[in-house]
Each structure stands twice: as C-alpha cells, then as structure tokens.
Amino acid sequence: MNVLLLTAGLAFGIAGVFLCIRCPYTKYGMVCIVSGVSFLIFYLIYFILEARAEMMIQIMLIACLFVIANQSVTVKNNNRISKKQTDRRNYIPDWRFSFLFITLMLVFILPARFPSVKIENGVIRMDGAFGGVFKISDIQSVDTVSFYPKTRLMTFGSSMCGIRKGNFRLVNEQKPVKLNIRINHPPYISIRMNDSRLFLLNFKEPDETVKFYNQLRDELNRAC
C-alpha cells in the first residue's frame, strides 16, 4: 500500500544523509532529507487512515513536495564560524515550506478520510462535505450487491485514495447517485429511494457492512 511514497521517502532520506556528510553537497542533501521526511509523513498519514493512494496521485505528490523542498531550502551565512570556514554555508528550510506542506496535506489527505454513515432518529446520515440525509421512511428497497454500475461522471464529490464519496453519474441511472464506498471492498449496500434516487455505501470491513445492512433492515421492518 502506497509503496512508492515509502520507497521514495527512504531513498531520499538515506541519499540526503550521505550528501550532507560531503560539505560541497550540503544543499542537495538538505533538499533530499526534507523531501524524504515529507514523503514518509504522507505515507504514515495514509497508513493511519488505511487509505490507498493511486499511483498517479503518489507521483504527483512526490513531484510537488520535491519542488517545494527544493525552492524552500535557503542559504544563510554563519557569522559565528572561524575565518577558515567563512565560505561555508548553512542550509535551512524556509518557513514557506511549512505553509505549502500544510496546503498539500489539505489537498491530498482530507479526501482520503472516509465519512461515517450512521442511523439515528429514523434517518441515515452521511457526514462530510459531500454527505446527505436519507429518511428511512422514504426507502423503497435495500439490498447488498457485489459490484456497482460503471461511473460516468463525478458531479459533486471526491474520488481519491480508493474512496468515492459524493454525487456521481452511473451507467443506467437517470439521477445522480450518492456514493460513500471504498473501491474493491464488496459487498455494497444498495438503497433505492421512493423518488428513484440510489445510495451506495460500504464500510472498511465486510462484517461492518453486513451489520449495518441488518440494522437497516430491522429499522425498515419496524417502520412498516
């Protein structure tokens, strides 16, 4: 999972240490170290979130972080060193790197968060910016499926790190479909509303999905 980020982080970090040992290459060593640490931080965050970033996302992230690190490492003279070392310079990360790093975290990490879905007070509530509320009394049918129709268009949502959430256009569906799914993690719960809208969701573990499905079925039986 996210092998490219891990490999790049370790490779850049180790290369940076060796380059810093050789004084003429201190700047390049600092760039590699800052880049490597950044890659590893993103890898750990994705690991904690148990999210998988597509290969293209990892490549884009590595490229962006490397460029930012290269531009942010600045040169400053050290006035306290001896006369023999007056030409030696210290390379330190500029504060702008921190700002751009946090910005990238918001862009690449927040979409990896999987919104919670729960039943409360007779409604199904999906959290997050792309969430929604579905009244159980408005449900026409509910079932579990092992696959879902092909996605044609994302109208308002996010599709990153193996997670699709928000409104999407699916094949054979006239109205936008609300998705809150981890790709390639069947089964999926298919909820058809009275107005023909479709809501597809699942959870990290199949057992959690089945448990939610049974809970929803019980709620529907009580509502009838």
Side-chain angles (χ1 to χ4, degrees):
M1 183 182 289
N2 306 321
V3 177
L4 189 59
L5 276 174
L6 176 61
T7 303
L10 293 174
F12 273 75
I14 294 172
V17 172
F18 280 104
L19 287 172
C20 283
I21 293 175
R22 303 183 64 181
C23 297
Y25 303 103
T26 302
K27 176 182 178 180
Y28 305 106
M30 283 299 301
V31 172
C32 288
I33 289 176
V34 172
S35 299
V37 171
S38 301
F39 302 156
L40 291 176
I41 289 175
F42 271 85
Y43 170 79
L44 289 174
I45 294 176
Y46 279 126
F47 180 79
I48 293 172
L49 293 175
E50 297 185 344
R52 179 183 62 84
E54 286 80 0
M55 189 61 66
M56 185 56 64
I57 295 297
Q58 294 185 57
I59 294 173
M60 290 173 56
L61 187 55
I62 289 172
C64 290
L65 286 172
F66 180 75
V67 170
I68 292 173
N70 186 53
Q71 294 296 321
S72 299
V73 172
T74 57
V75 181
K76 290 194 175 182
N77 291 323
N78 189 346
N79 296 322
R80 296 184 179 181
I81 56 180
S82 64
K83 184 178 180 180
K84 188 177 181 179
Q85 298 173 314
T86 52
D87 291 332
R88 182 172 295 180
R89 293 169 173 178
N90 292 329
Y91 298 90
I92 62 172
D94 187 32
W95 65 269
R96 288 170 294 186
F97 176 79
S98 300
F99 174 77
L100 293 173
F101 183 81
I102 293 174
T103 302
L104 277 182
M105 287 187 66
L106 294 176
V107 172
F108 286 97
I109 295 298
L110 287 183
R113 179 181 175 273
F114 196 57
S116 64
V117 179
K118 52 191 174 183
I119 299 175
E120 56 182 15
N121 301 322
V123 300
I124 302 173
R125 188 179 303 278
M126 172 182 165
D127 293 336
F130 308 119
V133 175
F134 299 82
K135 292 183 179 180
I136 293 179
S137 59
D138 292 337
I139 293 177
Q140 181 184 104
S141 63
V142 60
D143 201 355
T144 56
V145 295
S146 57
F147 63 92
Y148 57 92
K150 183 179 179 180
T151 303
R152 292 190 303 175
L153 177 69
M154 178 177 66
T155 57
F156 181 69
S158 171
S159 181
M160 290 180 62
C161 307
I163 294 173
R164 286 182 180 171
K165 53 187 178 182
N167 297 334
F168 291 76
R169 289 283 184 179
L170 302 187
V171 175
N172 299 327
E173 290 292 332
Q174 295 182 348
K175 294 185 177 182
V177 177
K178 178 73 73 176
L179 296 182
N180 191 54
I181 60 174
R182 290 180 181 269
I183 301 173
N184 300 324
H185 281 73
Y188 308 98
I189 300 175
S190 175
I191 302 173
R192 178 71 66 179
M193 309 301 292
N194 289 329
D195 59 2
S196 298
R197 287 182 302 157
L198 185 63
F199 181 23
L200 288 169
L201 70 146
N202 69 346
F203 294 85
K204 182 179 70 173
E205 300 295 338
D207 291 344
E208 293 182 74
T209 303
V210 173
K211 181 179 178 180
F212 187 91
Y213 171 74
N214 292 330
Q215 181 184 0
L216 180 55
R217 292 288 301 180
D218 291 340
E219 291 286 339
L220 283 172
N221 292 333
R222 281 196 290 267
C224 292

